[in-house]
Amino acid sequence: MSSVVDGRLRAATPEDCGELVQLWALLFGEAVTATREPWRHHAAGWFTRLVDDADNARFPVIEVGGTIVATAIGTLEVGVPNPHCVKGRTVRLMNVITVPCHRGNGFATTIILDVLNWARSIAADRVDLSATRDARPLYTKLGFTMTSAPRMKLVL
């Protein structure tokens, strides 16, 4: 554990579930007070299954005054080894968020670096993410580069 400005970096615990689901809601522009959406129940179950699985997931948080104000998620994806991912071990970095009134303190950089250090510790080949236009300069500063691979999805 280390200090960051006024915040304390630590790994999330099962007790943090409710607070983290609330933060994740902010990513989707959802009212923090809205609690009936089905995704929240599924997100809480997913978090509970993975929070203590250090080989497959990392959930850094930063606390200020006992409240979580920033977090990110790193999950290991194992795929077919290839020229761009020799061991087939990719960490997906997602849900990077800092509560708006705490932005500008380096919290996002700190939690991203925490996930990168975890990725190295589990022998991942690379870290992938999807970045908003506003976040791209931060990721570029940390060494991420744009790829030419288009991203597509199919909602089932």
Side-chain angles (χ1 to χ4, degrees), residues 39-135:
W39 75 265
R40 288 176 184 251
H41 173 73
H42 293 290
W46 174 83
F47 173 78
T48 301
R49 285 188 306 277
L50 286 175
V51 68
D52 291 325
D53 185 355
D55 293 330
N56 291 293
R58 178 71 178 164
F59 299 90
V61 298
I62 293 181
E63 282 184 326
V64 172
T67 300
I68 297 173
V69 300
T71 189
I73 300 170
T75 58
L76 177 64
E77 297 175 359
V78 179
V80 177
N82 64 71
H84 305 286
C85 192
V86 177
K87 294 176 271 184
R89 296 174 61 83
T90 300
V91 165
R92 169 91 36 213
L93 174 62
M94 59 192 150
N95 289 32
V96 178
I97 186 165
T98 301
V99 173
C101 65
H102 289 279
R103 292 181 181 157
N105 292 314
F107 295 161
T109 299
T110 299
I111 57 178
I112 292 165
L113 291 174
D114 181 83
V115 171
L116 297 180
N117 288 335
W118 169 75
R120 288 180 187 98
S121 79
I122 61 164
D125 293 299
R126 68 181 195 206
V127 176
D128 288 349
L129 61 87
S130 296
T132 62
R133 187 176 311 277
D134 291 342

Side-chain angles (χ1 to χ4, degrees), residues 17-38:
C17 182
E19 207 170 344
L20 290 178
V21 171
Q22 295 288 69
L23 279 176
W24 298 337
L26 293 175
L27 287 168
F28 304 105
E30 203 175 270
V32 172
T33 56
T35 59
R36 293 198 169 110
E37 296 80 8

